[in-house]
């Protein structure tokens, strides 16, 4: 059965492919599909149960879009979407992940040089063919070579935001099947890696063949790679391979352990089993001589039998978690419920925000938050920046809203822009009036490492700055992070007491996990915040929590897990 999330996913895919068709992400059609997707995601009731009049009553859904929604409900797709998929296959879409290649450039490369994939792009760069195209030149060619070098191996993998969408659609479809008791994602996606090679899913059912028949016939399927009674593999319309294994309930724990851990983690577990005269595989933990099953139903009982505490999936990389689990000394990781506030929230006052100040505050209050920072963009950000007068007016409105939310402290904040020299928006006197200042890099991503490091460290030393937002500025799979001396940045964070934001957006997850792990033994503080631009995005905390776990960030080092008195005192003390 098609659910609202599936419909929204198809509308977003229409928006993405229409961006290529129209040559612009700002075209009327693209923006219409994006508005409709947001409306569908926010709808309180299933669209499958709505009348035509109720569909048209949704903000952003017109007659044309409503007709496409009806098509999606009936067939899982639309004729227009199928046409665009044929015109712009996944290999061509990947071109726009390369920094410097927008929709118009991608179409120009295809029309003039026959470039259909990143491989074709490399070949064209190798023979210096791009410099002769109108509007490009030798400098563009040089920049594209450097961009491909910086993307590196990530170009062969799928960004987590795209993998999560494709996997979620399959899991929802399987979970709605009466023959399936449960279906869950495994592998590197469950470990929450930034990029994914392919997706592993396991489903519990006593009717494996029936489930497999339905799996290979899902609307998301582009090609069937392998088909079997208990294991099948498909390629989704996004180009991502998805493998499904159907298992009996009593093997769920062992299958989860087997298909989740990294190769190195699983080798360590198998060795622990061998040391005890046992075997460990996807079917269970068993006595090597008798074959008697020792544990298989749950992950917890398997780890317990091996004298280990249960290890959260993001930690299963053989990075010291086995030893700590044996000593019952795994890090105290934050959970969604640990967060008492959100400290990076935009409203429609910023050009890229979509919901009102009142709506963001009300939704945050409904989450039970004890404090909330509204952080619209500073005036220096092109197009989306907010003027001083508008900031002052917003502050006044926020103060009046505070009266209606006595249990939640409302902070008037700002997301400042770090310029190439480390300066930020506004003068010191104006900055001093804000309750909370987050500073982020939004431009000049191609400076050398020394310059990028200097600008970030300079911003940290600004007395008004409480935290650095999305530290590297990366967009996973689309834009590499800025070149930073990580040791220097962490040292500055310790010296100044400036927190580093763990940005919850799936296309950012910034600070990268590798940098987070380097901070394990240092006195660096963090904030887990959503960077929400809609009320729905306030729910993104679950992604930031999982990313923090992957980076081994302990709960007490996250400032927005602190009780209000402690947190507000820290703001007052911070440089």
């Amino acid at each position: 059965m098609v659910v609202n999330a599936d419909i929204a996913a198809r509308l977003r895919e229409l928006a993405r492919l229409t961006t290529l068709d129209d040559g612009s992400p700002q075209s009327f059609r693209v923006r219409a599909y994006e508005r409709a997707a947001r409306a569908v995601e926010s709808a309180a009731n299933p669209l499958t149960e709505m009348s035509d009049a109720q569909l048209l009553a949704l903000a952003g859904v017109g007659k044309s879009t409503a007709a496409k929604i009806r098509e999606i409900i009936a067939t899982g797709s639309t004729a227009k979407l199928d046409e665009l998929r044929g015109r712009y296959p996944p290999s061509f879409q990947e071109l726009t992940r390369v920094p410097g290649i927008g929709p118009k450039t991608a179409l120009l490369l295809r029309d003039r040089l026959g470039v259909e994939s990143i491989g074709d792009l490399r070949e064209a760069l190798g023979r210096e063919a791009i410099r002769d195209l109108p509007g490009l030149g030798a400098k563009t060619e040089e920049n594209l070579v450097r961009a491909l070098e910086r993307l590196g191996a990530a170009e062969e993998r799928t960004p987590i935001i795209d993998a999560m969408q494709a996997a979620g659609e399959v899991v929802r479809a399987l979970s709605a099947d009466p023959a399936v008791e449960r279906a869950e994602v495994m592998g590197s996606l469950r470990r929450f890696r930034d990029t994914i090679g392919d997706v592993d899913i396991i489903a519990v059912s006593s009717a494996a063949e029936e489930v497999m028949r339905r799996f290979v016939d899902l609307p998301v399927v582009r090609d069937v790679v392998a088909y079997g009674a208990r294991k099948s593999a498909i390629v989704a319309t996004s180009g991502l391979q998805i493998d499904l294994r159907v298992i009996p309930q009593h093997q769920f724990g062992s299958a989860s352990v087997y298909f989740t851990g990294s190769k190195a983690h699983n080798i360590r577990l198998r060795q622990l089993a061998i040391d005890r005269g046992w075997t460990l595989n996807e079917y269970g933990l068993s006595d090597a001589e008798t074959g008697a099953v020792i544990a298989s139903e749950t992950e917890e009982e398997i780890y317990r039998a091996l004298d280990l505490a249960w290890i959260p999936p993001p930690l299963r990389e053989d990075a010291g978690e086995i030893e700590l689990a044996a000593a019952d000394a795994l890090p105290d990781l934050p959970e969604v419920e640990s967060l008492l506030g959100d400290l990076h929230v935009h409203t429609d006052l910023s050009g890229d925000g979509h919901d009102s100040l009142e709506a963001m505050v009300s939704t945050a209050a409904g989450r039970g938050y004890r404090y909330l920072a509204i952080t619209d963009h500073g005036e220096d950000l092109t197009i989306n920046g907010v003027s001083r007068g508008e900031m002052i007016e917003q502050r006044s409105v926020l103060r009046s809203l505070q009266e209606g939310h006595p249990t939640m402290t409302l902070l008037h904040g700002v997301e400042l822009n770090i310029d190439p020299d480390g300066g930020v928006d506004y003068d010191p006197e104006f900055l001093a009036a804000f309750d909370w200042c987050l500073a982020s890099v939004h431009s000049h991503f191609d400076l050398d490492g020394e310059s990028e490091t200097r600008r970030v460290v300079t911003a940290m030393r600004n007395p008004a700055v409480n935290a650095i937002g999305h530290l590297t500025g990366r967009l996973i799979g689309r834009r590499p992070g800025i070149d930073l001396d990580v040791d220097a940045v962490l040292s500055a964070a310790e010296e100044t007491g400036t927190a580093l934001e763990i940005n919850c957006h799936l296309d950012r997850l910034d600070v990268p996990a590798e940098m987070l792990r380097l901070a394990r033994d240092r006195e660096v503080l963090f904030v887990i915040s959503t960077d929400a631009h809609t009320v729905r995005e306030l729910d993104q905390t679950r992604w930031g929590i999982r990313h923090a776990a992957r980076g081994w960030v302990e709960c007490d080092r996250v400032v927005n897990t602190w009780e209000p008195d402690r947190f507000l005192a820290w703001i007052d003390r911070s440089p």
Side-chain angles (χ1 to χ4, degrees):
M1 179 180 176
V2 176
V3 299
N4 288 7
D6 299 329
I7 298 168
R10 294 288 78 79
L11 291 171
R12 291 197 184 281
E13 187 179 359
L14 271 169
R16 187 170 65 251
L17 296 181
T18 302
T19 296
L20 287 168
D21 209 44
D22 291 352
S24 169
Q26 300 300 323
S27 74
F28 173 80
R29 292 196 303 165
V30 171
R31 294 170 72 89
Y33 288 137
E34 289 175 342
R35 286 195 302 271
R38 288 195 297 271
V40 170
E41 289 170 334
S42 302
N45 298 313
L47 268 65
T48 53
E49 300 175 4
M50 290 186 181
S51 65
D52 289 345
Q54 289 171 320
L55 277 181
L56 291 171
L58 295 175
V61 175
K63 289 184 178 180
S64 176
T65 306
K68 289 181 173 62
I69 289 173
R70 288 294 184 212
E71 272 192 272
I72 294 169
I73 292 172
T75 69
S77 185
T78 74
K80 183 62 178 178
L81 181 55
D82 292 340
E83 174 196 337
L84 291 173
R85 284 171 174 170
R87 196 180 304 167
Y88 307 110
S91 59
F92 181 75
Q93 294 175 43
E94 286 177 5
L95 285 172
T96 59
R97 289 169 46 195
V98 179
I101 297 185
K104 289 183 179 179
T105 302
L107 293 171
L108 178 66
L109 290 171
R110 182 165 75 172
D111 293 343
R112 296 294 187 91
L113 300 176
V115 172
E116 297 277 1
S117 66
I118 289 180
D120 292 344
L121 175 63
R122 288 189 184 280
E123 190 274 334
L125 289 169
R127 55 188 173 89
E128 298 184 343
I130 290 175
R131 64 182 59 191
D132 297 325
L133 296 179
L136 299 184
K139 183 62 176 177
T140 298
E141 204 168 60
E142 179 185 332
N143 290 340
L144 290 176
V145 169
R146 188 163 61 248
L148 285 177
E149 289 173 350
R150 294 182 71 194
L151 280 176
E155 72 186 59
E156 307 297 331
R157 297 171 63 83
T158 299
I160 188 172
I161 189 170
D162 297 327
M164 194 74 75
Q165 178 178 306
E169 188 168 349
V170 172
V171 167
R172 286 193 298 272
L174 291 171
S175 299
D177 188 331
V180 175
E181 297 176 42
R182 65 191 298 185
E184 294 188 19
V185 167
M186 299 290 148
S188 57
L189 189 54
R190 189 178 180 216
R191 297 201 309 278
F192 218 65
R193 289 199 58 178
D194 301 340
T195 59
I196 310 300
D198 52 38
V199 170
D200 294 299
I201 297 174
I202 61 175
V204 173
S205 177
S206 58
E209 293 186 20
E210 178 183 339
V211 172
M212 283 303 177
R213 283 196 300 272
R214 293 175 182 166
F215 169 62
V216 298
D217 198 37
L218 291 175
V220 74
V221 175
R222 189 186 78 192
D223 298 302
V224 177
V225 177
Y227 179 67
R230 293 196 169 274
K231 177 183 175 182
S232 294
I234 60 97
V235 175
T237 52
S238 64
L240 180 65
Q241 181 168 320
I242 300 177
D243 297 347
L244 173 66
R245 292 167 177 84
V246 179
I247 60 171
Q249 176 61 53
H250 69 270
Q251 291 175 356
F252 183 81
S254 51
S256 296
V257 169
Y258 185 85
F259 291 115
T260 294
S262 70
K263 180 179 179 180
H265 177 88
N266 286 351
I267 287 173
R268 293 289 306 279
L269 293 183
R270 287 199 295 272
Q271 187 58 54
L272 289 176
I274 290 169
D275 292 344
R276 290 160 171 76
W278 302 337
T279 63
L280 177 62
N281 53 36
E282 61 192 282
Y283 306 109
L285 180 65
S286 307
D287 187 285
E289 288 189 7
T290 67
V293 175
I294 296 162
S296 67
E297 292 191 12
T298 69
E299 288 191 330
E300 288 80 0
E301 68 179 10
I302 290 172
Y303 279 101
R304 187 164 55 247
L306 296 172
D307 297 318
L308 301 173
W310 178 79
I311 300 175
L315 299 185
R316 299 182 196 177
E317 298 285 358
D318 191 27
E321 74 278 5
I322 299 287
E323 292 79 4
L324 291 177
D328 198 19
L330 287 167
D332 178 23
L333 302 173
E335 300 177 356
V336 170
E337 295 75 17
S338 306
L339 300 181
L340 301 185
D342 197 334
L343 301 173
H344 188 172
V345 174
H346 295 275
T347 74
D348 57 4
L349 185 60
S350 288
D352 55 355
H354 298 288
D355 286 313
S356 68
L357 173 63
E358 292 79 2
M360 299 305 277
V361 169
S362 176
T363 303
R367 295 179 64 86
Y369 282 154
R370 306 289 302 282
Y371 40 88
L372 175 74
I374 298 298
T375 55
D376 281 312
H377 290 292
E379 64 181 357
D380 291 345
L381 187 65
T382 305
I383 300 177
N384 296 326
V386 177
S387 70
R388 296 172 185 234
E390 289 172 318
M391 281 292 186
I392 292 171
E393 183 178 351
Q394 183 186 64
R395 183 176 300 147
S396 175
V397 175
L398 192 67
R399 297 295 185 243
S400 66
L401 289 175
Q402 179 67 82
E403 298 177 9
H405 298 280
T407 61
M408 180 172 67
T409 299
L410 299 179
L411 305 172
H412 190 233
V414 60
E415 183 179 12
L416 302 166
N417 306 284
I418 304 175
D419 70 24
D421 297 318
V424 297
D425 320 61
Y426 312 121
D427 56 80
E429 183 179 0
F430 194 79
L431 285 174
F434 287 102
D435 302 315
W436 170 263
C437 291
L438 183 79
S440 308
V441 169
H442 289 115
S443 62
H444 299 88
F445 297 103
D446 293 326
L447 302 179
D448 61 82
E450 183 178 350
S451 299
E452 296 286 19
T453 301
R454 183 170 55 249
R455 73 191 288 207
V456 170
V457 169
T458 299
M460 285 182 173
R461 291 184 174 142
N462 187 317
V465 173
N466 303 103
I468 299 295
H470 44 73
L471 175 64
T472 74
R474 71 173 183 174
L475 294 173
I476 299 170
R478 292 189 287 133
R479 183 176 70 207
I482 58 176
D483 188 8
L484 290 172
D485 179 336
V486 178
D487 183 69
V489 169
L490 295 179
S491 294
E494 288 182 297
E495 171 199 335
T496 63
T498 308
L500 300 180
E501 177 191 64
I502 298 172
N503 190 288
C504 298
H505 262 281
L506 277 176
D507 57 357
R508 289 193 183 273
L509 297 178
D510 193 7
V511 179
E514 299 77 20
M515 293 188 188
L516 293 175
R517 286 193 286 269
L518 290 173
R520 282 168 60 182
D521 299 322
R522 308 185 69 151
E523 294 182 3
V524 177
L525 295 173
F526 300 95
V527 51
I528 298 175
S529 48
T530 61
D531 192 2
H533 289 67
T534 68
V535 292
R536 185 175 180 274
E537 288 181 351
L538 288 168
D539 193 40
Q540 293 183 146
T541 49
R542 62 192 189 277
W543 309 136
I545 288 293
R546 290 170 68 177
H547 185 66
R550 187 163 178 79
W552 292 66
V553 175
E554 298 203 58
C555 189
D556 196 56
R557 298 176 66 184
V558 178
V559 299
N560 54 323
T561 67
W562 296 353
E563 290 294 329
D565 288 348
R566 181 185 178 191
F567 171 69
L568 295 171
W570 173 73
I571 293 179
D572 290 341
R573 286 200 307 268
S574 55

